[in-house]
Amino acid sequence: MDFYVAHRVPADGEDPVLVLFLPEGDGPLPRAAAAVDEAVGGLLSRVRKSGEFPGKARETLVLHSTAKRGPRRVLLAGLGRAADLTLDGFRRAAGAAALAARGTRAGEMSIVLPATDRAPRDALAAALVEGATLAAYEFRRHRTGDDAVAEAPLARVTVVEEETSGREALDRGLALGRVLADAAAWARDVGNTPGNEGTPGFLAERAREIASESGMRLTVLERADMEREGMGGILGVARGTLEPPKFIVLEHNAGKEDLPCIALVGKGITFDSGGISIKPAENMHEMKFDKCGGVAVLATMRAVGRLRIPLRVVGIVPATENLPSGTAYKPGDVVRSLGGRTIEVLNTDAEGRMLLVDGIAYAKRFKPRCIVDLATLTGACVVALGDAASGLFSTDEALASALLRAAEGSGERAWRMPLYADYTEQIRSDVADFKNTGGRPAGACTAAALLQAHAEGTPWAHLDIAGTAWTTKDRDYLRKGATGVGPRTLVRWLLAEAGR
Ligand code: BES
Ligand code: MN
Ligand code: ZN
């Protein structure tokens, strides 16, 4: 989907599909809409008066015009009540408009950005690109024949605006929106890749592409390297699979010691069967999405490189499968993490934390200003928050609020969760420093507590994306499957950290 800007009077063109965003209610039509209404012989005001288009959020209506001049079709898209409009509300409306415009099979749409003082123009432009691109996203790689290609994709989107004075903000917003939408769509593609194809080696290949595109340093540790380093956590999990594990490290602005450093760590379990503590068969296939934290980190690195963000950013993805076998790690085993802590394995299905602790310990070598990890870590987080929000845990107030602000800007909700000392007590082991589960109570919090113990000394935040990384229902600009959660928020946060 390509985005353009055209400076002309929206009512004067002969656009195949002209999208007008309208707030709910029977107030006067916005200025551009009123001019279009006149061009198409009062069609809009008739429809408004009839009550056919109340302008509720998500609502769309396509009108054909037979007038001599003006657009051939007008696509009305509801914004809901003007006083309640948020940036994400506009992103959702843009997504709904894109799907309705695709339904016309015109292959293109022109849009008039809503006049609102609730968001700056550049943010609106970025949200337009994100909403339209992500709503129209499809994963067709494993379809064949006629089904392999979309029938009538929405290829062109033109923002039509008479005034030229806002052009710079518009271009800036569209450019940022492209990078963010592209990062999320890339994350969806990699996230949706099934376990037989989307192996740890596949993730390492994707990292190699990112490194060569943006000139990043890439280090991929193999099993033997991990043994030499003493990464007992990931190695324990990887004992059960013949698929070679990979410990992936991407460095943006490597060696530029004068730049502040930020480390990102993502859980890269390419399939989680539970291991010896095997999961029930029902819905086990969804565990191909257990790599989505790692994928979010890779997608973020890709965008960071494209935007040349002036920070040193290290992206770390410990990647392996979690399978049962004759060599698999077992309940009762004790392993030693890279951080030198011993962990008693009580449940082999609590594997994410086993690799994250090695990832976090490795991240500390870069002496980062802070560490942020993302992981589809616990079913308990899904019990607590559902798919409405990711769980945010942090030892640092400023870091937590900066991440919450960025999440808000992206429409990716995060909800702060506690890190009481009780949770660390709950994972003390009788035979080792820690055990890898604290039982059912506060499962998301005790998992975070083990990570916290390894991040100790460095400001750290953890996003449990177990409920938000994929969806089984189409919703707004999310399509069934991987949602691509993470990169849009992380990139917005990193831009703010860099003062952009
Ligand atoms: N990948 C799962 C967490 C998960 C479960 C994410 C369902 C999304 C949906 C993780 O590795 C896991 O299995 N966690 C266990 C931990 C337990 C054994 C302490 C869980 O949450 O049940
Ligand atoms: Mn598991
Ligand atoms: Zn898992």
Side-chain angles (χ1 to χ4, degrees):
M1 199 180 287
D2 293 321
F3 291 81
Y4 305 88
V5 178
H7 294 296
R8 56 180 166 78
V9 179
D12 287 355
E14 297 207 342
D15 304 81
V17 180
L18 180 67
V19 179
L20 299 174
F21 293 96
L22 298 185
E24 191 174 338
D26 43 17
L29 288 170
R31 198 171 62 85
V36 171
D37 187 37
E38 211 190 298
V40 298
L43 189 55
L44 270 53
S45 30
R46 278 206 304 286
V47 166
R48 271 294 236 203
K49 222 164 280 150
S50 72
E52 273 169 86
F53 186 80
K56 290 194 192 308
R58 299 178 176 82
E59 211 173 29
T60 57
L61 183 66
V62 179
L63 302 167
H64 283 254
S65 165
T66 52
K68 283 211 185 62
R69 65 186 194 96
R72 302 335 294 158
R73 296 182 196 81
V74 178
L75 198 169
L76 301 180
L79 290 173
R81 285 169 35 180
D84 301 338
L85 183 63
T86 60
L87 190 57
D88 199 53
F90 175 64
R91 194 179 281 117
R92 291 191 292 262
L99 293 180
R102 187 173 67 186
T104 69
R105 295 174 162 68
E108 61 176 287
M109 69 174 178
S110 308
I111 85 129
V112 179
L113 283 179
T116 172
D117 50 16
R118 303 196 38 99
R121 307 289 287 169
D122 56 344
L124 277 182
L128 164 72
V129 181
E130 295 170 75
T133 308
L134 295 176
Y137 172 87
E138 295 182 295
F139 184 69
R140 288 181 179 257
R141 214 165 65 226
H142 299 108
R143 298 183 183 230
T144 62
D146 291 350
D147 216 20
V149 281
E151 192 192 324
L154 184 64
R156 285 177 69 91
V157 179
T158 307
V159 178
V160 182
E161 186 162 289
E162 191 181 348
E163 313 80 50
T164 53
S165 58
R167 180 63 189 258
E168 205 203 319
L170 214 49
D171 284 342
R172 198 175 343 110
L174 292 175
L176 175 63
R178 276 186 203 101
V179 176
L180 295 174
D182 187 71
W186 186 92
R188 287 184 184 182
D189 278 344
V190 181
N192 284 329
T193 302
N196 57 334
E197 184 187 350
T199 58
F202 178 88
L203 295 184
E205 279 312 307
R206 302 289 77 72
R208 196 167 300 287
E209 286 167 3
I210 294 165
S212 62
E213 182 189 295
S214 295
M216 290 182 194
R217 180 185 291 164
L218 173 69
T219 311
V220 178
L221 303 186
E222 305 293 335
R223 204 190 285 265
D225 304 314
M226 297 181 224
E227 271 157 15
R228 207 169 312 122
E229 293 281 1
M231 297 176 160
I234 181 173
L235 283 169
V237 180
R239 280 180 63 91
T241 178
L242 293 174
E243 199 62 62
K246 308 278 173 182
F247 190 100
I248 303 164
V249 186
L250 269 172
E251 291 173 65
H252 168 73
N253 284 328
K256 298 201 178 146
E257 301 292 328
D258 47 326
L259 290 175
C261 179
I262 287 174
L264 307 174
V265 182
K267 169 176 171 179
I269 290 289
T270 59
F271 185 73
D272 180 14
S273 71
I276 295 295
S277 315
I278 199 162
K279 290 179 181 293
E282 200 187 358
N283 295 331
M284 197 203 272
H285 66 282
E286 292 187 351
M287 286 296 125
K288 68 179 175 186
F289 297 121
D290 212 18
K291 58 185 175 306
C292 286
V295 172
V297 167
L298 295 180
T300 302
M301 294 306 291
R302 187 165 176 272
V304 161
R306 291 184 169 195
L307 292 169
R308 301 174 201 279
I309 297 182
L311 292 171
R312 202 144 55 87
V313 185
V314 186
I316 299 172
V317 181
T320 181
E321 294 183 332
N322 184 24
L323 293 182
S325 80
T327 56
Y329 82 141
K330 304 171 291 297
D333 286 0
V334 174
V335 304
R336 187 186 173 89
S337 70
L338 180 63
R341 254 52 79 86
T342 52
I343 304 172
E344 181 190 13
V345 179
L346 288 189
N347 190 317
T348 63
D349 197 11
E351 85 297 340
R353 62 201 81 181
M354 304 298 293
L355 27 152
L356 286 170
V357 296
D358 286 344
I360 289 168
Y362 196 87
K364 281 182 166 181
R365 294 187 180 173
F366 296 89
K367 305 214 168 10
R369 186 202 270 186
C370 60
I371 301 173
V372 176
D373 79 73
L374 288 91
T376 48
L377 200 61
T378 65
C381 191
V382 191
V383 172
L385 301 172
D387 63 4
S390 303
L392 171 66
F393 298 82
S394 184
T395 49
D396 189 276
E397 294 309 308
L399 175 58
S401 42
L403 284 169
L404 288 171
R405 211 170 314 122
E408 166 89 44
S410 291
E412 294 185 330
R413 277 196 296 236
W415 189 259
R416 186 87 183 263
M417 302 282 279
L419 285 168
Y420 301 126
D422 312 48
Y423 303 136
T424 310
E425 289 313 309
Q426 207 176 318
I427 52 168
R428 297 252 185 254
S429 161
D430 296 335
V431 300
D433 298 337
F434 298 105
K435 48 192 184 188
N436 81 334
T437 114
R440 279 175 68 99
C445 305
T446 51
L450 186 70
L451 308 184
Q452 179 189 5
H454 283 77
E456 199 189 52
T458 305
W460 156 84
H462 157 61
L463 278 163
D464 193 329
I465 58 170
T468 52
W470 75 93
T471 175
T472 52
K473 303 185 297 280
D474 287 338
R475 172 164 56 94
D476 296 318
Y477 51 82
L478 302 185
R479 301 275 71 87
K480 275 179 203 171
T483 58
V485 74
R488 292 188 300 114
T489 291
L490 290 179
V491 172
R492 279 191 165 89
W493 167 62
L494 290 167
L495 283 170
E497 287 292 300
R500 293 283 166 100

